[in-house]
């Protein structure tokens, strides 16, 4: 073999071999990227196949909870991550001293009472199938006359529901003549519900106040308007309320309404909600006032009454006594 090698291999053939090896090296070099690109190239022609497929799925996943394309687009209170919502800080210590329910605070008689009050309302709001209530997650808090405690009850109901683990609350000040929600919670005023209805270019999210209570947002009443009742009865108000009710299945919306016998706006609001909590002041509201006030709520089929300002006798059971707060 050693004798045949020099005789059978001329100089030119050595160069050819070297060139051949060089060609092989060049051919081998792109071979590696070609093998790695091939699977990607096979996927690349399909626009949905690149790496961002996972984020796309995440973006599509929440769609069933949102309105369908046919639903009228009304800028909603999307307090989840909306950049334009305002921030407000509620003084929880002061609120607790005033007798309001504060999330994560020790149990009190008031807290226990509103746990009972909210449960049936939430059962109705979350009902599905044949028991489902249209707009059941929209609750109107009303009374026959002023000073019966409806704002106190509406605020405490919202604060109590805000402590639920799987729900969020939007508290709407709909008492346009005498709004008290903001002053009760110590929040600054600004544009609100009336402004959004009157101005189609205004986003509802621009008027929301996100509070330091994680699950609670507030919508102010907004500016005074001579045609408040007509605005509430408008198609825009109806579209907005419908989409709020359907778009966020985990949100409870509570409207603090004007008194039924003091403002025509209460009866119009009752047409938009699924439930009414009618506050009655113990030992003060007359039967005729109660009957007339309830008749104004005819637009809503599900009306429940809450007896407020009840005086307890020295003996007998009261919610909260088990925790030492009943005395």
């Amino acid at each position: 073999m050693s004798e045949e090698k020099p005789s059978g291999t001329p100089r030119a053939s050595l160069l050819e071999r070297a060139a051949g090896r060089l060609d092989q090296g060049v051919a081998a070099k792109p071979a590696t990227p070609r093998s790695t690109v091939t699977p990607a190239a096979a996927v690349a022609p399909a626009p949905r196949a690149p790496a961002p497929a996972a984020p796309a799925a995440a973006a599509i996943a929440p769609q069933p909870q949102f309105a369908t394309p046919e639903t009228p687009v009304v800028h909603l209170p999307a307090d989840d991550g909306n950049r334009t919502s305002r921030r407000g800080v509620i003084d929880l210590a002061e609120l607790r001293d005033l007798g309001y329910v504060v999330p994560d605070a020790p149990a009190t008689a008031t807290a226990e009472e509103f746990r009972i009050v909210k449960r049936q309302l939430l059962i109705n709001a979350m009902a599905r199938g044949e028991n489902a209530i249209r707009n059941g997650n929209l609750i109107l808090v009303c009374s026959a006359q002023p000073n019966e405690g409806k704002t106190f009850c509406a605020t405490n109901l919202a604060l109590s529901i805000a402590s639920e683990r799987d729900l969020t609350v939007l508290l709407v000040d709909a008492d346009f003549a005498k709004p008290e929600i903001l002053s009760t919670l110590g929040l600054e005023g600004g544009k609100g519900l009336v402004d959004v209805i009157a101005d189609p270019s205004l986003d509802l999210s621009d008027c929301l106040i996100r509070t330091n209570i994680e699950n609670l947002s507030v919508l102010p009443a907004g500016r005074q308007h001579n045609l408040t009742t007509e605005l509430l009865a408008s198609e825009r108000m109806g579209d907005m309320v419908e989409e709020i009710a359907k778009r966020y299945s985990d949100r409870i919306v509570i409207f603090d309404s004007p008194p039924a016998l003091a403002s025509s706006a209460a009866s119009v609001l009752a047409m938009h909600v699924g439930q009414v909590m009618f506050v009655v002041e113990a030992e003060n509201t007359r039967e005729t006032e109660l009957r007339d006030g309830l008749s104004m709520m005819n637009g809503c089929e599900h009306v429940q009454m809450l007896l407020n300002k009840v005086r307890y006798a020295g003996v007998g059971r009261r919610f909260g006594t088990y925790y030492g707060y009943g005395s």
Side-chain angles (χ1 to χ4, degrees), residues 164-231:
E164 296 286 324
R165 301 296 93 179
D166 303 319
L167 297 173
T168 60
V169 186
L170 176 61
L171 178 58
V172 181
D173 195 342
D175 192 345
F176 306 104
K178 295 183 178 179
E180 295 182 356
I181 293 294
L182 296 184
S183 59
T184 298
L185 298 177
L187 300 174
E188 294 184 2
K191 293 182 178 181
L193 179 60
V194 171
D195 301 282
V196 177
I197 304 172
D199 183 1
S201 66
L202 187 64
D203 282 4
L204 185 56
S205 55
D206 293 337
C207 305
L208 280 182
I209 303 175
R210 299 181 65 186
T211 72
N212 52 318
I213 298 177
E214 183 179 1
N215 295 333
L216 175 66
S217 296
V218 176
L219 178 63
R223 63 187 172 93
Q224 296 285 333
H225 200 290
N226 293 331
L227 299 176
T228 299
T229 301
E230 287 75 13
L231 288 174

Side-chain angles (χ1 to χ4, degrees), residues 142-144 260 276-280 290 293-294 297 303-306:
C142 190
S143 61
V276 171
M277 186 175 81
F278 203 86
V279 178
V280 181
L290 177 58
L294 289 174
M297 300 290 104
V303 180
Q304 301 186 49
M305 288 185 289
L306 174 65

Side-chain angles (χ1 to χ4, degrees), residues 288-308:
T288 53
E289 294 174 337
L290 177 58
R291 290 183 181 276
D292 291 344
L294 289 174
S295 68
M296 301 293 288
M297 300 290 104
N298 284 340
C300 180
E301 296 181 0
H302 301 273
V303 180
Q304 301 186 49
M305 288 185 289
L306 174 65
L307 190 61
N308 190 36

Side-chain angles (χ1 to χ4, degrees), residues 48-295:
R48 39 194 185 130
I60 293 173
Q63 282 184 353
Q65 300 176 1
F66 289 81
T68 57
E70 290 77 12
T71 305
V73 177
V74 181
H75 300 288
L76 295 172
D79 52 30
D80 8 35
N82 194 294
R83 295 178 311 222
T84 56
S85 297
R86 291 183 289 151
R87 291 279 184 174
V89 178
I90 299 173
D91 189 335
L92 299 180
E94 181 180 355
L95 209 60
R96 183 176 60 247
D97 293 341
L98 292 173
Y100 287 88
V101 176
V102 178
D104 300 326
T108 64
T110 303
E112 286 299 295
E113 288 161 355
F114 274 94
R115 281 179 175 141
I116 301 297
V117 170
K118 73 177 177 181
R119 194 53 54 193
Q120 185 59 50
L121 294 170
L122 292 180
I123 290 174
N124 291 340
M126 298 294 108
R128 297 293 180 265
E130 60 181 12
N131 296 321
I133 297 175
R134 178 178 170 272
N135 293 351
N137 58 333
L138 307 186
I139 303 171
L140 183 71
V141 180
C142 190
S143 61
Q145 297 287 3
N147 303 317
E148 296 195 52
K150 65 172 182 58
T151 299
F152 177 83
C153 293
T155 304
N156 271 323
L157 179 63
L159 291 168
S160 182
I161 294 177
S163 64
E164 296 286 324
R165 301 296 93 179
D166 303 319
L167 297 173
T168 60
V169 186
L170 176 61
L171 178 58
V172 181
D173 195 342
D175 192 345
F176 306 104
K178 295 183 178 179
E180 295 182 356
I181 293 294
L182 296 184
S183 59
T184 298
L185 298 177
L187 300 174
E188 294 184 2
K191 293 182 178 181
L193 179 60
V194 171
D195 301 282
V196 177
I197 304 172
D199 183 1
S201 66
L202 187 64
D203 282 4
L204 185 56
S205 55
D206 293 337
C207 305
L208 280 182
I209 303 175
R210 299 181 65 186
T211 72
N212 52 318
I213 298 177
E214 183 179 1
N215 295 333
L216 175 66
S217 296
V218 176
L219 178 63
R223 63 187 172 93
Q224 296 285 333
H225 200 290
N226 293 331
L227 299 176
T228 299
T229 301
E230 287 75 13
L231 288 174
L232 293 175
S234 66
E235 183 179 356
R236 176 169 168 78
M237 175 64 178
D239 291 341
M240 184 171 61
V241 167
E242 285 290 330
E243 193 165 346
I244 290 174
K246 295 176 181 177
R247 182 169 181 178
Y248 300 100
S249 59
D250 63 341
R251 170 172 286 152
I252 305 297
V253 183
I254 299 174
F255 294 86
D256 180 27
S257 163
L261 300 181
S263 172
S264 57
S267 60
V268 177
L269 285 168
M271 298 168 58
H272 294 300
V273 301
Q275 301 185 76
V276 171
M277 186 175 81
F278 203 86
V279 178
V280 181
E281 184 179 2
E283 303 178 14
N284 189 40
T285 304
R286 298 177 181 178
E287 182 179 350
T288 53
E289 294 174 337
L290 177 58
R291 290 183 181 276
D292 291 344
L294 289 174
S295 68

